[in-house]
Amino acid sequence: MLDKTGIAKRIAKEVKNGYYVNLGIGIPTLVANYIPQGMDVVLQSENGLLGMGPFPFDGEEDADLINAGKQTITTLPGSAFFDSAMSFGMIRSCKVDLTILGAMEVSDNGDIANWKIPGKMVKGMGGAMDLVASAKNIIVAMQHVNKAGESKLLPKCSLPLTGVGCVKKIVTELAVLDVTPQGFKLLERAPGISVEQIKNATLGRLIIEGDIPEMQLD
Amino acid sequence: MNKVVANAAEAIKDIQDNATLMLGGFGLCGIPENCIAALVKKGVKGLTCISNNAGVDDFGIGLMLQTRQVKKMISSYVGENAEFERQLLSGELEVELIPQGTLATRCMASGYGMPAIYTPAGVGTEVAIGKEVRNFDGKDYLMEYAFDADFAIVKAWKGDPYGNLIYRETARNFNPLMAMAGKITIAEVEELVPAGTLDPDQIHTPGIYVHRIFKGVNYEKRIEQRTVRKS
């Protein structure tokens, strides 16, 4: 079973040279740490920055320079600032190659829910609805099951939706899956996890064809 | 052309109860601290606030929530504010949550003189309820109206008496969009410089959009999530 770092490491392998990438809050943020050195990748932060750099050194924090998670960050050579309309302009017009975000639930037709639990949590969608409505390639980083052991990969989402039929790939602590018209297609198992365990943890339609290889993380 | 006023109190003096305000900023970054403090002091009530976030409990728009001055918030993300969540769940506060890009573009449309925009954000979700859906080239879009705000209150880094504004780093965010969208736009700046000092090639908001400008004081510029790396 993978921890959060493992999920981030596996997703980092989906990032290609020359990509512009938007990373959501949580596990997706960690992906930046595992993009191979020398690969030319530009991170977009939807509050208005292309070329997001690492956290600043202690004492060099700048209140005017934050990411979409409101964390202090730095720029890199080649960075650019812009306003929020332009930021979502580049997202809507598909200039961003890859979007990685978290989810509470995903359905086997690619619907995603990640912004609201009625009566319990009302934080808002932030930029997630804009991102999932337009991004050409969306990878979800999430836990396969919730704390009660219930599957979060469902035939149909029970929570209010963020977007419809948009998720392309899911990486969880147990598996890598593609979302296809026929349902979740199992691509890889996490180290030490059996196909049977993944079956038991998946409520949505699951396609298993041939031998399922174990993930290669390094 | 001289749009300079003395301070925040003078800039906001005609904001009345039940006004609709746009407030720039993302999180606590690039928020009009001086005007928020002046609004709290003035005590205007029943406000509708259009702002990406609602501040934190003791800073930003959170200060106006504590004093119950806000009737309705229109935002994209409000997760950092416990008092906000309490007022929302108890029904004291009306809230409209909308996608961040939709929020930005509805401001932009207003400033560009366009009544509405079409966006794919929210299609098939509860955000789409009651909205016109139109299909272009096989994809569905929601029609969203331009905002109609009485006042836009923005924060810039530098400005001049003509109202020309330059923002700094990610403190730009919603500020230039909202600056274009207010019937009356109020800008507070860290540095107010004489006309001719700012390079015309570097202006983000041309002064035509700005009605009042003043030099803010005592900026706290609070950091919401201080994250650092080991040296």
Side-chain angles (χ1 to χ4, degrees):
Chain A
M1 190 184 302
L2 299 180
D3 57 8
K4 287 177 178 179
T5 304
I7 294 174
K9 274 188 186 170
R10 177 59 191 80
I11 291 178
K13 293 168 81 90
E14 302 293 321
V15 177
K16 305 279 187 292
N17 199 47
Y19 266 18
Y20 289 92
V21 181
N22 181 289
L23 301 176
I25 296 165
I27 298 174
T29 307
L30 301 175
V31 173
N33 300 335
Y34 303 104
I35 296 171
Q37 284 220 329
M39 192 180 272
D40 214 358
V41 170
V42 177
L43 300 180
Q44 198 249 17
S45 191
E46 67 265 24
N47 57 318
L49 172 62
L50 275 168
M52 179 168 63
F55 295 149
F57 290 115
D58 195 7
E60 293 177 4
E61 313 90 279
D62 180 346
D64 290 335
L65 184 47
I66 63 169
N67 64 17
K70 285 100 179 178
Q71 297 170 311
T72 46
I73 47 157
T74 55
T75 54
L76 294 169
S79 287
F81 295 114
F82 37 85
D83 66 54
S84 301
M86 188 180 283
S87 179
F88 285 94
M90 59 187 76
I91 288 165
R92 237 180 266 118
S93 60
C94 299
K95 306 296 189 236
V96 176
D97 299 289
L98 175 61
T99 292
I100 302 167
L101 76 174
M104 297 170 186
E105 293 177 349
V106 173
S107 71
D108 62 21
N109 66 338
D111 294 354
I112 176 171
N114 73 353
W115 72 282
K116 182 179 183 183
I117 303 172
K120 275 191 188 163
M121 183 212 79
V122 213
K123 293 190 184 300
M125 66 291 280
M129 278 195 187
D130 307 274
L131 282 158
V132 301
S134 296
K136 48 193 169 188
N137 191 6
I138 299 172
I139 301 178
V140 164
M142 67 188 291
Q143 301 298 322
H144 214 105
V145 294
N146 65 19
K147 282 179 187 136
E150 297 159 342
S151 180
K152 296 164 72 171
L153 278 66
L154 304 169
K156 193 172 187 299
C157 293
S158 64
L159 296 169
L161 295 182
T162 308
V164 179
C166 53
V167 176
K168 301 285 187 287
K169 192 183 281 290
I170 304 165
V171 179
T172 75
E173 75 280 20
L174 303 180
V176 179
L177 311 102
D178 266 353
V179 179
T180 72
Q182 289 74 41
F184 300 119
K185 185 169 197 291
L186 182 58
L187 300 180
E188 298 172 19
R189 296 173 290 114
I193 297 297
S194 69
V195 168
E196 205 56 30
Q197 283 173 294
I198 296 164
K199 261 191 195 169
N200 291 339
T202 309
L203 264 186
R205 292 172 296 163
L206 183 64
I207 304 158
I208 302 162
E209 284 175 1
D211 281 342
I212 307 298
E214 198 169 277
M215 287 179 210
Q216 303 296 313
L217 289 175
D218 297 303
Chain B
M1 198 71 74
N2 186 2
K3 299 174 179 178
V4 178
V5 296
N7 52 36
E10 191 183 329
I12 62 130
K13 67 171 187 246
D14 55 347
I15 296 182
Q16 305 294 335
D17 288 354
N18 304 310
T20 297
L21 312 181
M22 285 179 172
L23 294 127
F26 182 97
L28 301 178
C29 183
I31 59 171
E33 294 181 22
N34 278 231
C35 284
I36 290 171
L39 286 164
V40 170
K41 195 168 176 201
K42 183 173 159 77
V44 278
K45 295 221 175 329
L47 300 172
T48 295
C49 293
I50 301 166
S51 190
N52 189 56
N53 312 91
V56 295
D57 281 327
D58 62 343
F59 202 60
I61 294 175
L63 295 171
M64 297 200 292
L65 290 167
Q66 280 188 356
T67 46
R68 306 281 202 281
Q69 290 173 269
V70 182
K71 178 180 69 183
K72 181 176 181 181
M73 276 302 310
I74 300 174
S75 302
S76 84
Y77 189 81
V78 294
E80 328 288 355
N81 191 320
E83 174 63 14
F84 181 99
E85 203 156 357
R86 191 198 65 72
Q87 288 186 25
L88 171 60
L89 293 172
S90 71
E92 291 165 61
L93 182 69
E94 216 181 309
V95 176
E96 189 180 337
L97 290 168
I98 61 178
Q100 194 175 137
T102 302
L103 180 67
T105 314
R106 288 176 69 186
C107 295
M108 191 193 78
S110 180
Y112 276 80
M114 299 185 295
I117 53 124
Y118 286 95
T119 177
V123 168
T125 76
E126 64 181 53
V127 165
I129 294 169
K131 289 177 184 159
E132 179 188 319
V133 178
R134 187 151 166 192
N135 190 284
F136 294 93
D137 284 332
K139 183 166 174 162
D140 284 340
Y141 295 80
L142 300 182
M143 188 178 75
E144 298 274 7
Y145 289 103
F147 282 123
D148 184 18
D150 301 314
F151 293 87
I153 304 175
V154 302
K155 153 83 193 327
W157 179 32
K158 294 180 181 178
D160 69 16
Y162 280 75
N164 295 310
L165 303 176
I166 295 176
Y167 308 91
R168 186 170 177 272
E169 300 178 335
T170 55
R172 189 183 316 185
N173 55 63
F174 287 84
N175 282 300
L177 307 163
M178 292 182 171
M180 295 169 68
K183 286 194 193 78
I184 301 283
T185 291
I186 298 165
E188 57 174 86
V189 297
E190 289 178 57
E191 294 176 37
L192 184 60
V193 300
T197 311
L198 301 177
D199 177 356
D201 259 338
Q202 305 298 322
I203 303 291
H204 295 133
T205 298
I208 192 169
Y209 286 111
V210 177
H211 302 85
R212 299 168 197 167
I213 187 168
F214 69 93
K215 185 187 179 314
V217 292
N218 302 325
Y219 280 106
E220 178 180 340
K221 294 176 65 164
R222 191 185 294 188
I223 291 173
E224 205 164 324
Q225 305 277 349
R226 183 179 300 274
T227 43
V228 295
R229 71 184 129 146
K230 294 189 185 82
S231 40

